[in-house]
């Protein structure tokens, strides 16, 4: 389910965050989750996680909140793929 570079090259261009988010939500459903947002430069950037392994992802988040660290950080990092969507619709997928 991870977005490959080839799959990324086939994603259409978007004119807004709303249209890009809609595309990813339609394609990945509840596996595509917004984590946070912040203003960078002059526009807002939305940070999403494409969840690849929900159990590892949720367990890692719980452990981080409870203990302040993760025993298995590498497994956690491999449980999701970060996707950034800019207010103007540009996307940046972390591979």
């Amino acid at each position: 389910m991870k977005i490959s570079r080839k799959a990324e090259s086939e994603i259409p261009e978007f004119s807004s965050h709303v249209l890009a988010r809609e595309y990813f939500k339609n394609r990945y459903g509840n596996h595509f989750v917004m984590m946070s947002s912040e203003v960078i430069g002059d526009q807002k950037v939305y940070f999403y996680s494409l969840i690849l392994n929900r159990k590892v992802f949720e367990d890692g988040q719980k452990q981080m909140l409870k203990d302040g660290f993760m025993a298995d950080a590498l497994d956690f990092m491999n449980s999701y793929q970060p996707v950034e969507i800019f207010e103007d619709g540009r996307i940046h997928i972390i591979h």
Side-chain angles (χ1 to χ4, degrees):
M1 180 169 17
K2 194 170 188 176
I3 303 169
S4 68
R5 291 187 189 280
K6 181 182 181 325
E8 180 180 7
S9 72
E10 296 168 354
I11 295 172
E13 290 188 20
F14 305 103
S15 59
S16 71
H17 162 254
V18 172
L19 293 173
R21 180 191 67 216
E22 202 172 271
Y23 170 87
F24 286 101
K25 286 300 259 180
N26 286 336
R27 187 163 184 107
Y28 299 105
N30 67 354
H31 293 280
F32 192 72
V33 178
M34 188 169 90
M35 304 304 291
S36 65
S37 66
E38 67 180 74
V39 175
I40 298 176
D42 61 346
Q43 77 175 282
K44 198 167 192 177
V45 181
Y46 300 84
F47 299 94
Y48 289 86
S49 289
L50 174 58
I51 300 171
L52 307 171
N53 184 326
R54 187 164 300 276
K55 180 170 179 13
V56 172
F57 182 80
E58 290 176 352
D59 288 351
Q61 286 186 314
K62 286 176 191 169
Q63 184 180 22
M64 188 65 167
L65 285 173
K66 181 180 168 233
D67 302 330
F69 70 94
M70 280 180 227
D72 229 339
L74 187 57
D75 279 349
F76 176 75
M77 288 175 50
N78 289 322
S79 73
Y80 70 98
Q81 183 174 23
V83 177
E84 300 168 1
I85 303 177
F86 293 78
E87 198 169 29
D88 66 6
R90 287 181 294 133
I91 61 169
H92 180 233
I93 298 173
I94 311 300
H95 295 278

